[in-house]
Structure formats: structure tokens, C-alpha cells
């Protein structure tokens, strides 16, 4: 090699080195840019998928809300005729069209197959809206042995939906299942995907179904709901029109939707034709087995208690661009020149960022410590990053123990899945609000360190971007408030049971009195013996009414605390003998045996009479005619007086003992035998025993019947 070439290399090697470093760096940058482009596309795809889910969920929730509004209107004005129904569903209070995105709204009447022909004739002659009625109306398809029908009777809009009028929902398994679930639960139920009856082709949709009952107020059991069920309000939703309206003409992702059933266990349902809710025109891309690959995303939707699976994949050409070779070299050289400057400033920037983060953390900690309620800060991944000292009072965790755990660890196991869904929804649209996650008892509960739970309200406040966390959550113990609400709900249920029971108890004797009185009035030729029998029946039913009214009045006075007792010293065995002799008509069909020993008692005579009368009436009511009832009187070891009433009836299950003395509650035996009674007799006994300074305990008699043990003071209190 010549001396000149050696000299040139000596002078040029730094430049060559810079070029080589620059080129290598530029390729590295190019790879990084391409990776960033891929990450950006992935992020955009996930964001677009979430956007589609939020838009669809919002539109479905809007349809569900309109359906619930229509259902409430029908229930509040029941019974309604065809004109009332049309007026209800035409517009809302603001005059808006309620049929946007809805194919039809109908009332579907429960009809017994035995009266089908009479029912059809009545609808054909219904001239409420059209003087000509509906001459072609008939129940379709033929019931073919079905004993119960649920028939589309009122339908709006009728134009274009005539094919559905008269359709029996119970003729189709999917529709029948939805109506039965709505009937038995009292809740809004969404159906599985169905082919719409009113469609000209194979149009898919779903039904939103709510039951209508012939009594106001809540019904507490499935049997009572089935007994009072008169029909269902149904909103027919055409899924393609609804979803395309929600997403717009050009959705950002390709998507398909599949129905996954109504329980958590059915989440693994495949994506077969029977589960298809919506798919764009052309070939479907979702795996029929329900598997999700790297090119697709699966998200859940909630539709009236049912789960839908939203499956998406990137739409259009989203491959992104490439970086030009010249730009690679220029970028590499520029990067090489900038490395030194960037390195010099990195340390200082990092130090300033750390100081800023420490100040923000201190400020945030001061804020949550000043909050009156236990407060935690949660980051975007659902991890608790900060907690106030008050968290220990509520949940038993120290702030240090909470820090770093998943926020779902503070939620009961059965609510964690639902909580994650709500947390994801909140992240898409953060705002100051109350978190609503329902538990088994209808409210949100937090999990303590020892595994127990506490009812809470949680208020959420979003934090600015780049803060320590993404949301501040304040928890408030609402045990007292929840108990008050539950007490009000129980009171409302008891009132409904009382009204239902008392209506029956009043109607039975009144019907008998009216019937026998009319017979006496319209049959002057009755012989004296028959007339006296009728009069005796009237008197007996009047006595029953008086007893029922007296029972209600007694309880009302006890509940208002207006009863004043005047206890006196007496002898319980003799008082029991005397009272039984006065109750001859009540216990005439049953031998009553009074045994025991003379026992002193300190009690109000009228209260004792009511206690013994109610217990004997109860015993006779559930004991076969002719079987004995036994009263035992004796003192106990403390000198108190004990009165035991044993019958030989079916007895009382032990699991009913805690509720025997509840107002208006009736046991299974009363339901099974249809025995008369208002459900307040034993409640009156319990209150009188308490006011008398005594107790009453249920149990089983040696013969298997029911036993009630009353303990009363044996002497005047000193």
C-alpha cells in the first residue's frame, strides 16, 4: 500500500466510522419506527374495537330503557284497551318517536286454550280503533294441544307488521323461554336471536320481554307471579338496523356479534349459525368454535341479562408506510450527531421528572388523607397505588397492605367479573360518578381483609393524565342506610301480602253472606228449617268477619303502642278452663283437654284471652276434625307460669320458626291447605306476650304436631 493511501485512510477513518455508526443506527431506528407503527395500528384497532362496543352497548341500553318505560306505563295503567296502548307507545313525554331502531311493540295476552274461540271472537269484534274490528284475526299457529297461549293482541305500528298479529309466542321455544323467564322473575328478559315473524325474509332480531300482572306492587315468589300473570309487553328489535345505526355507514373495524346465552357458564358457547346476531355481508371470519386468534378481539356486551360476544378484526388496508433509504441515512447521521447532546441532558431531565413525581405523590396523598371517607388511588391497570389511613377502619387493611394489590381483591369473588367490566367502561369515559355494581342483595359490597363483606357506596373521580393513578375512589359504609332500605322493602312486601290475604279473607264470608241473604230474599216459600239454616250460615260468617276485623284492630293498636294492659294476680289453670268453656263454637269440632296444676300468674285477663283464643284457633285450623288439642299449665323453676298448647296437626318445619311471628306471613301448610287466616294472629300473640313481660316459643309436640309454649310472670314485679 502506498504512503499516500495510508495517509488518506488515517485522515478518513473518523468520517467512515461516523457513517457506519449512522447507517447502523438508522437501521435500528427504522426497525423501531416499524415496531412503533405496528404498535400504533394495534392500539388503534383495540381503540376502534372498544369504540364499537361502547356505541353498540349505548344503543342497546337506549332501546332497553325505552322498553322499560313502555312497560312501566302499561303496568301503571293496567288494565288498558287497544286505544290506550297505541297512545302509550306512540310518543314519550317529550313527543319523540319511540320506534326509532325498534321494529314493533306489542302486548301479548295470556289465553287459556279452552277459551280460544271466545277470545278470537272478542278480538275480531274489537272496534276500539277500527269500527270494522279485525275480522281475519286468529291464533297462529294452531295450538295443537298447548293449554296456555301468549298471543300478540295489541301491536304498534300495525302497518307492515300485520303478519305478527295473533302469533302465539309459546309456539316457538326461544320466545316461550323468554316469556317464562320474564314471568317467573319479574325482570326484563332478552331473547336469544330469532327470525322475526313480521319480516318478509329471514330477518334476525331479538325480543325484549317484560311481564304484566293483574295486581299492583311486587310479587315475592315465582308461583305467585305465575298465578297473577296476564301477559307480556314485548319490544321487537331488528338487530341489523339497530347495530348499523349505532356504528354508522362505515364502521372502523369488521365485526360480528354472537349470542352467548344468559348465564356465566354459557360464555364458552361457539359462534355457530344459531348464535349469530349480526354479520356484515360476505364471508364470516369468526371461528365457529368460538376461538379468538391474534388477528381478532373478543369483547362482551350485556343485553337484558344476556351476553353477546363482539368479535372484531382490522378493517381496510392498515399496513402503514415505509421509511425511504435516503431518509434512513440522513436520520442515522442526524441521530449520531444528536447522541452526545441527548446523553448530556438525559440525567438532568430524569432527575427533574423524579422530583416532580414525588411532589405530585405527596400532594395526592395529602388530598386523600383529608377526605372524610376511606380513599384509594387506582392506576389504569387496576392496581391500588395509594390508600388513606381510614381504609383500615373500613376493610381491616393497613395502607401499606393495600398498596400494590389489584382493586378486584377488595371485591367479593362473585362480583369481580362484573367489576372488571364496569372498570373498563369507566376507563373509556371517565367522569365523577357513583360506581354501580349490583350484588346478590341488590347493592355494591366491599371485601374485608378477614373475608367478610360490607355494603358500600363508591364515588369515583378521574385524575389528570400522567398522574400517579387514573382514578380516586372513596368508599362509604352504608350498612345503616342499606338496612333501612331493606326494612322499607320488607314493609312494602308485607303490605302487599296483607292486602292480598285480607282481600281473600273478606271476600269469602261476604260472598257467603250475600248468597244466603239473596236466597232468603228471593225464595219466600222456603220452609222454616231451611231458612234458619241459611240465617245460621249468615250469622257464622258475620262472626268470622267480626273476629277478623277484631284481629286487625288489635294488631293496629299494638303497632301504634296504644294498648294499655292492667295485669292482676290470678290462677292460670282455672283461667284456662274458663276461657275454653267460653270458646265453645271455636273448638266445637275438636276435643280440648286442659291439664296441669294450679299456677299463679300475673297477667291482664283480656290479653290472656286473646293469646289463648288465637293459639286455639290456629291449632283447630290445622288439625283434622275430631283430633284433640291439649293445654298444659304448670309453674317453672323460676316461679313463672307456663302454658303449653299442643295440637295433632302436621306440625311446623323448623326452618319456618324464625318467621312464624312476622306480620302477614303464612307458612307452607297454610299455602298447601288454603287455610283461612290473615297472617297476623301469631304476630298479635307475640306482641301481647312481650307487653305482658313474657315469651312465646314454637316447637313440635311429642305426637308430631305443633307446640307453642307461653311463659308469663308468676307474680307482680317487685
Amino acid at each position: 500500500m502506498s504512503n499516500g493511501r495510508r495517509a488518506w485512510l488515517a485522515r478518513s477513518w473518523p468520517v467512515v466510522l461516523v457513517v457506519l455508526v449512522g447507517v447502523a443506527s438508522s437501521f435500528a431506528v427504522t426497525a423501531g419506527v416499524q415496531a412503533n407503527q405496528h404498535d400504533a395500528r394495534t392500539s388503534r384497532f383495540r381503540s376502534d374495537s372498544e369504540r364499537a362496543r361502547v356505541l353498540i352497548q349505548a344503543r342497546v341500553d337506549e332501546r332497553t330503557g325505552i322498553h322499560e318505560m313502555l312497560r312501566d306505563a302499561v303496568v301503571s295503567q293496567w288494565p288498558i284497551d287497544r286505544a290506550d296502548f297505541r297512545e302509550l307507545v306512540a310518543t314519550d313525554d317529550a313527543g319523540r318517536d319511540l320506534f326509532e331502531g325498534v321494529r314493533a311493540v306489542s302486548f301479548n295476552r295470556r289465553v287459556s286454550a279452552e277459551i280460544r274461540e271466545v277470545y278470537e271472537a272478542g278480538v275480531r269484534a274489537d272496534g276500539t280503533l277500527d269500527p270494522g274490528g279485525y275480522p281475519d284475526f286468529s291464533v297462529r299457529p294452531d295450538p295443537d294441544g298447548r293449554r296456555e297461549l301468549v298471543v300478540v293482541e295489541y301491536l304498534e305500528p300495525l302497518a307492515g307488521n300485520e303478519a305478527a298479529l295473533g302469533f302465539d309466542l309459546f309456539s316457538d321455544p326461544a320466545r316461550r323461554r323468554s316469556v317464562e323467564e320474564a314471568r317467573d322473575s319479574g325482570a326484563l328478559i332478552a331473547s336469544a336471536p330469532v327470525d322475526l315473524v313480521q319480516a318478509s325474509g329471514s330477518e334476525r332480531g331479538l325480543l325484549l320481554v317484560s311481564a304484566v300482572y293483574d295486581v299492583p306492587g311486587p310479587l315475592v315468589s315465582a308461583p305467585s307471579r305465575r298465578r297473577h300473570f296476564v301477559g307480556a309487553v314485548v319490544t321487537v328489535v331488528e338487530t341489523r338496523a339497530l347495530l348499523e345505526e349505532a356504528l354508522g355507514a362505515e364502521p372502523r373495524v369488521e365485526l360480528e356479534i354472537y349470542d352467548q346465552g344468559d348465564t356465566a357458564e354459557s360464555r364458552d358457547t361457539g359462534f355457530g349459525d344459531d348464535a349469530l346476531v349480526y354479520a356484515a355481508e360476505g364471508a364470516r371470519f369468526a371461528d365457529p368454535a368460538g376461538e379468538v386468534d391474534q388477528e381478532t378481539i373478543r369483547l362482551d356486551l350485556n343485553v337484558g341479562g344476556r351476553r353477546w360476544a363482539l368479535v372484531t378484526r382490522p378493517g381496510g388496508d392498515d399496513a402503514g408506510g415505509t421509511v425511504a433509504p435516503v431518509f434512513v441515512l440522513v436520520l442515522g447521521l442526524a441521530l449520531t450527531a444528536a447522541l452526545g447532546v441527548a446523553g448530556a441532558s438525559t440525567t438532568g431531565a430524569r432527575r427533574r421528572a423524579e422530583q416532580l413525581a414525588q411532589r405530585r405523590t405527596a400532594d395526592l396523598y395529602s388530598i386523600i388523607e383529608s377526605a372524610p371517607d376511606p380513599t384509594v388511588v387506582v392506576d389504569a391497570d387496576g392496581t391500588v397505588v395509594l390508600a388513606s389511613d381510614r381504609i383500615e377502619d373500613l376493610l381491616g387493611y393497613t395502607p401499606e397492605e393495600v398498596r400494590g394489590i389489584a382493586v378486584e381483591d377488595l371485591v367479593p369473588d362473585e362480583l369481580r367479573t362484573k367489576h372488571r367490566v364496569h372498570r373498563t367502561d369507566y376507563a373509556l369515559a371517565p367522569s365523577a360518578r357513583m360506581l354501580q355494581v349490583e350484588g346478590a342483595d341488590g347493592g355494591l359490597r366491599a371485601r374485608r381483609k378477614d373475608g367478610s363483606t360490607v355494603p358500600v357506596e363508591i364515588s369515583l373521580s378521574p385524575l389528570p393524565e400522567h398522574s400517579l393513578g387514573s382514578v380516586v375512589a372513596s368508599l362509604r359504609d352504608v350498612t345503616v342506610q342499606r338496612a333501612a332500605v331493606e326494612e322499607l322493602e320488607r314493609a312494602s312486601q308485607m303490605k302487599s301480602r296483607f292486602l292480598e290475604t285480607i282481600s281473600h279473607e273478606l271476600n269469602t264470608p261476604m260472598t257467603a253472606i250475600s248468597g244466603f241473604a239473596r236466597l232468603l230474599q228471593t225464595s219466600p216459600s222456603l220452609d222454616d228449617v231451611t231458612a234458619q239454616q241459611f240465617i245460621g250460615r249468615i250469622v257464622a260468617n258475620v262472626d268470622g268477619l267480626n273476629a277478623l276485623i277484631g284481629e286487625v284492630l288489635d294488631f293496629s293498636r299494638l303497632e301504634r303502642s296504644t294498648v294499655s294492659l292492667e295485669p292482676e294476680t290470678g290462677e292460670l289453670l282455672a283461667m284456662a278452663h274458663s276461657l275454653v268453656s267460653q270458646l265453645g263454637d271455636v273448638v266445637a269440632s275438636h276435643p280440648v283437654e286442659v291439664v296441669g296444676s294450679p299456677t299463679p300468674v300475673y297477667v291482664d285477663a283480656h290479653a290472656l284471652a286473646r293469646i289463648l283464643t288465637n293459639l286455639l284457633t290456629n291449632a283447630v285450623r290445622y288439625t283434622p276434625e275430631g283430633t284433640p288439642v291439649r293445654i298444659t299449665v304448670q309453674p317453672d323453676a323460676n316461679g313463672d307460669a307456663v302454658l303449653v298448647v299442643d295440637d295433632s296437626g302436621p306440625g311446623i318445619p323448623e326452618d319456618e320458626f324464625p318467621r312464624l311471628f312476622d306480620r302477614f306471613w303464612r307458612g307452607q301448610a297454610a299455602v298447601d291447605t288454603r287455610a283461612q287466616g290473615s297472617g297476623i294472629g301469631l304476630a298479635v300473640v307475640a306482641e301481647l306476650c312481650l307487653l305482658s313481660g313474657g315469651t312465646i316459643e314454637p316447637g313440635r309436640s311429642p305426637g308430631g304436631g305443633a307446640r307453642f309454649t307461653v311463659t308469663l310472670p308468676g307474680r307482680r314485679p317487685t
Side-chain angles (χ1 to χ4, degrees):
M1 180 180 296
S2 67
N3 291 333
R5 181 169 297 182
R6 289 193 185 96
W8 180 84
L9 287 176
R11 291 193 304 270
S12 302
W13 74 264
V15 176
V16 174
L17 181 60
V18 168
V19 171
L20 291 175
V21 170
V23 171
S25 299
S26 64
F27 278 116
V29 169
T30 303
V33 169
Q34 290 175 336
N36 288 338
Q37 288 176 336
H38 178 270
D39 291 343
R41 288 195 300 274
T42 301
S43 177
R44 186 164 56 250
F45 171 45
R46 291 186 178 278
S47 175
D48 290 343
S49 298
E50 283 290 351
R51 170 185 173 274
R53 188 188 73 81
V54 171
L55 290 174
I56 294 171
Q57 186 70 66
R59 190 51 55 93
V60 168
D61 291 346
E62 181 183 341
R63 296 305 109 196
T64 302
I66 289 177
H67 170 86
E68 290 178 326
M69 181 183 69
L70 296 177
R71 173 205 61 197
D72 293 344
V74 171
V75 170
S76 65
Q77 298 190 34
W78 182 262
I80 63 173
D81 61 18
R82 196 178 299 273
D84 293 334
F85 185 78
R86 172 171 289 184
E87 183 177 355
L88 286 177
V89 305
T91 57
D92 67 2
D93 293 338
R96 295 173 298 185
D97 183 9
L98 300 182
F99 292 115
E100 182 182 358
V102 171
R103 182 61 184 262
V105 180
S106 64
F107 172 70
N108 309 264
R109 192 177 299 276
R110 174 192 185 187
V111 179
S112 169
E114 289 79 4
I115 65 167
R116 171 192 170 190
E117 294 183 358
V118 175
Y119 167 72
E120 289 177 331
V123 176
R124 291 180 191 130
D126 182 0
T128 307
L129 295 177
D130 186 343
Y134 303 88
D136 298 326
F137 179 85
S138 63
V139 177
R140 307 179 325 280
D142 189 280
D144 191 23
R146 292 192 304 278
R147 298 183 60 186
E148 187 177 24
L149 320 172
V150 175
V151 183
V152 179
E153 181 176 340
Y154 303 162
L155 181 63
E156 295 295 334
L158 184 57
N161 293 312
E162 294 88 350
L165 195 64
F167 180 76
D168 173 22
L169 269 63
F170 271 16
S171 65
D172 173 69
R175 290 174 170 84
R176 181 182 189 115
R177 185 161 51 252
S178 301
V179 173
E180 289 177 338
E181 289 178 5
R183 176 197 66 193
D184 293 349
S185 67
L188 183 154
I189 298 296
S191 74
V194 296
D195 292 327
L196 301 185
V197 175
Q198 53 268 66
S200 57
S202 57
E203 188 176 306
R204 298 283 276 177
L206 76 148
L207 311 181
L208 301 176
V209 185
S210 294
V212 178
Y213 306 100
D214 61 3
V215 293
L219 296 170
V220 298
S221 66
S224 63
R225 294 187 185 104
R226 286 193 288 270
R227 186 165 60 252
H228 292 285
F229 175 68
V230 293
V233 174
V234 174
T235 299
V236 182
V237 179
E238 181 188 347
T239 49
R240 177 174 294 277
L242 177 71
L243 299 177
E244 291 180 351
E245 175 192 7
L247 296 171
E250 297 181 359
R252 301 178 185 178
V253 293
E254 295 182 23
L255 59 88
E256 295 171 2
I257 298 178
Y258 297 89
D259 180 79
Q260 299 290 278
D262 54 2
T263 63
E265 290 76 12
S266 60
R267 288 180 62 118
D268 294 329
T269 302
F271 299 157
D273 290 341
D274 57 338
L276 179 64
V277 174
Y278 170 84
E281 303 295 340
R284 284 161 47 191
F285 60 82
D287 185 343
E291 300 294 333
V292 177
D293 57 29
Q294 294 181 347
E295 295 299 319
T296 59
I297 293 177
R298 168 178 170 163
L299 300 168
D300 283 343
L301 297 164
N302 186 311
V303 185
R306 296 188 71 83
R307 293 183 180 276
W308 281 3
L310 168 65
V311 187
T312 62
R313 72 175 179 182
D317 183 9
D318 198 19
T322 59
V323 182
V326 175
F327 177 70
V328 171
L329 181 59
V330 173
L331 181 61
L333 295 173
L335 178 63
T336 303
L339 285 177
V341 177
S345 61
T346 297
T347 302
R350 182 182 297 112
R351 184 169 57 253
R352 289 192 296 274
E354 289 174 351
Q355 292 172 348
L356 179 61
Q358 289 172 355
R359 286 199 300 273
R360 287 181 174 177
T361 300
D363 292 343
L364 187 57
Y365 185 75
S366 298
I367 292 172
I368 68 170
E369 276 300 310
S370 65
D373 297 316
T375 303
V376 296
V377 178
V378 182
D379 67 14
D381 295 325
T383 301
V384 178
V385 295
L386 210 59
S388 67
D389 291 341
R390 292 182 177 86
I391 199 72
E392 188 170 6
D393 298 332
L394 180 65
L395 301 182
Y397 291 97
T398 65
E400 292 75 19
E401 290 174 325
V402 174
R403 211 169 294 147
I405 70 173
V407 71
E408 270 74 33
D409 290 344
L410 305 180
V411 176
D413 293 346
E414 67 275 11
L415 298 181
R416 289 180 180 176
T417 299
K418 186 177 290 187
H419 185 274
R420 289 190 187 95
V421 173
H422 281 268
R423 183 161 56 80
T424 301
D425 290 343
Y426 182 84
L428 294 173
S431 63
R433 70 177 87 159
M434 296 297 295
L435 181 62
Q436 298 294 328
V437 183
E438 292 191 354
D441 63 350
L444 180 64
R445 305 185 73 84
R447 183 180 182 274
R448 292 190 175 103
K449 182 179 179 180
D450 61 7
S452 62
T453 62
V454 57
V456 294
E457 286 181 351
I458 299 181
S459 59
L460 302 177
S461 298
L463 289 170
E465 191 176 0
H466 307 306
S467 294
L468 178 65
S470 63
V471 63
V472 175
S474 295
L475 294 78
R476 175 169 296 176
D477 185 345
V478 291
T479 301
V480 175
Q481 297 92 318
R482 190 73 54 80
V485 170
E486 291 173 354
E487 180 61 30
L488 287 174
E489 291 175 348
R490 283 195 295 269
S492 176
Q493 292 173 354
M494 287 191 293
K495 181 192 73 173
S496 299
R497 288 198 299 270
F498 170 72
L499 292 175
E500 184 178 351
T501 301
I502 208 70
S503 298
H504 172 75
E505 294 298 320
L506 289 173
N507 184 64
T508 301
M510 287 300 296
T511 300
I513 292 170
S514 175
F516 287 118
R518 289 182 185 278
L519 287 173
L520 288 171
Q521 183 183 38
T522 58
S523 305
S525 60
L526 285 175
D527 59 83
D528 291 343
V529 174
T530 303
Q532 287 300 317
Q533 290 177 344
F534 287 177
I535 293 172
R537 297 284 185 86
I538 292 173
V539 170
N541 280 281
V542 169
D543 290 342
L545 278 175
N546 285 331
L548 177 61
I549 293 169
E551 203 172 56
V552 174
L553 292 176
D554 281 347
F555 186 79
S556 177
R557 286 192 290 268
L558 286 168
E559 195 173 45
R560 296 197 309 270
S561 300
T562 58
V563 173
S564 177
L565 301 185
E566 298 178 0
E568 297 178 350
T569 301
E571 198 277 293
L572 184 56
L573 184 63
M575 296 172 76
H577 274 292
S578 176
L579 288 171
V580 170
S581 66
Q582 296 173 30
L583 295 173
D585 292 340
V586 175
V587 298
S589 59
H590 295 72
V592 178
E593 182 181 13
V594 182
V595 299
S597 58
T599 302
V601 67
Y602 183 71
V603 69
D604 180 277
H606 295 294
L608 178 64
R610 174 56 70 187
I611 290 170
L612 190 56
T613 298
N614 284 9
L615 290 178
L616 284 176
T617 301
N618 215 53
V620 168
R621 183 175 293 150
Y622 299 109
T623 303
E625 186 172 346
T627 55
V629 176
R630 184 184 182 92
I631 299 174
T632 304
V633 176
Q634 60 188 10
D636 67 6
N638 298 320
D640 290 330
V642 179
L643 182 146
V644 180
V645 178
D646 288 298
D647 64 44
S648 49
I652 303 169
E654 289 189 11
D655 59 355
E656 293 186 358
F657 285 179
R659 301 201 61 188
L660 277 177
F661 305 110
D662 287 354
R663 296 169 290 177
F664 317 127
W665 185 83
R666 307 191 74 200
Q668 191 59 45
V671 176
D672 293 341
T673 62
R674 299 182 181 272
Q676 294 184 348
S678 62
I680 59 177
L682 288 178
V684 169
V685 171
E687 289 289 333
L688 288 173
C689 287
L690 181 64
L691 289 174
S692 300
T695 61
I696 181 170
E697 295 290 338
R700 297 186 68 83
S701 66
R707 163 175 285 185
F708 288 94
T709 302
V710 176
T711 303
L712 298 168
R715 64 183 72 84
R716 181 193 297 269
T718 57

